[in-house]
Amino acid sequence: MFIVFIIEIILTFIAFVLLVVDIIFTSVPLTIVMISFQAIVFIGWMFTFYYFVNKKRREIFSVKISCLSRGNDKLVNLFVLLDYIEGRETNLEVVKTSLAGIYFCPSSMKRHPEKAKKKELYNLLIEYYLTLTKDKYKDSFIWDYNINFFTWRCIGVTSLIGTIGIFILMICYNSIPSPNDVLYTALYFIFGALLIPLLAKFFGHII
């Protein structure tokens, strides 16, 4: 992951240099290359953010579940699912019985838990943990992550960058004589795309 991080930093630097060069020496081919690099960098950073958030999420969950008692009958299904994910439980019939006790578990996963991805099982495990314990720190525990890619922290960062970027573009467009419409339109789309997580969260959770 460290190598990927270094590559993303290098690509970010190249994308910034291309942006500056494209502003100074305007050309359509250069604009296309610049937009491509910007898109690659944006997607790369989103995946990096996802990786670290998911890692942090599991670390927090591991600490919380280690404080629970395996002797609690209410938590039997929880620990069976945990053991299956971590490879300590290999009896699929026991796993299926436990999954049958989780009312919101998809029927396909109940029938064939071996076909489910570890990520899906882990999301199910954490959601089940929350229903059993009624964790008072749900938002700080999973960072409002749920099974969605974007979090409120991600939304805050992307929305801030997008808003500031659009604001700066508006000022530059009105201040620079004969601005490059193609370049500015492309940049508007790039910074506008950073506002999509906010809109997605709004329509997905508020409405």
Side-chain angles (χ1 to χ4, degrees):
M1 192 62 197
F2 178 75
I3 296 177
V4 174
F5 186 71
I6 296 298
I7 293 174
E8 287 175 358
I9 292 177
I10 295 173
L11 289 177
T12 302
F13 177 75
I14 294 174
F16 177 76
V17 171
L18 286 174
L19 175 62
V20 174
V21 173
D22 195 29
I23 292 175
I24 299 174
F25 306 102
T26 304
S27 70
V28 174
L30 185 59
T31 300
I32 295 174
V33 173
M34 183 273 298
I35 294 174
S36 300
F37 264 94
Q38 296 287 351
I40 292 172
V41 168
F42 175 76
I43 294 172
W45 282 116
M46 288 299 99
F47 273 101
T48 301
F49 179 81
Y50 167 82
Y51 172 82
F52 284 110
V53 167
N54 204 41
K55 182 179 179 182
K56 181 64 176 179
R57 178 186 185 223
R58 294 194 179 198
E59 289 175 355
I60 295 174
F61 177 70
S62 297
V63 173
K64 284 180 174 286
I65 203 169
S66 65
C67 298
L68 301 178
S69 172
R70 284 182 174 264
N72 190 338
D73 294 337
K74 179 181 167 184
L75 305 176
V76 171
N77 292 339
L78 180 75
F79 282 109
V80 168
L81 183 56
L82 176 66
D83 290 342
Y84 177 67
I85 292 173
E86 295 182 348
R88 293 191 295 269
E89 178 61 68
T90 57
N91 191 329
L92 286 179
E93 293 304 318
V94 173
V95 176
K96 289 178 181 179
T97 302
S98 296
L99 290 176
I102 304 176
Y103 68 92
F104 55 86
C105 178
S107 57
S108 59
M109 189 180 293
K110 291 179 182 178
R111 292 193 301 268
H112 302 286
E114 71 280 2
K115 294 183 180 180
K117 296 179 180 178
K118 293 294 184 182
K119 173 187 169 184
E120 295 173 348
L121 290 170
Y122 216 95
N123 287 333
L124 176 68
L125 179 66
I126 292 179
E127 289 299 321
Y128 186 50
Y129 161 84
L130 292 172
T131 61
L132 292 175
T133 61
K134 293 181 173 55
D135 196 318
K136 295 181 180 179
Y137 303 99
K138 179 177 179 180
D139 289 339
S140 61
F141 165 45
I142 58 170
W143 297 11
D144 195 31
Y145 184 85
N146 297 326
I147 58 174
N148 301 310
F149 180 82
F150 295 106
T151 70
W152 282 113
R153 283 172 173 74
C154 175
I155 288 172
V157 172
T158 56
S159 299
L160 181 63
I161 295 174
T163 303
I164 293 176
I166 291 174
F167 181 73
I168 292 174
L169 285 175
M170 292 172 62
I171 294 176
C172 293
Y173 187 83
N174 294 306
S175 302
I176 299 175
S178 302
N180 183 347
D181 290 335
V182 175
L183 173 61
Y184 276 90
T185 300
L187 291 175
Y188 273 121
F189 272 109
I190 291 173
F191 286 112
L194 295 174
L195 301 178
I196 291 178
L198 179 62
L199 297 175
K201 199 70 170 178
F202 176 79
F203 287 107
H205 290 262
I206 297 178
I207 293 181

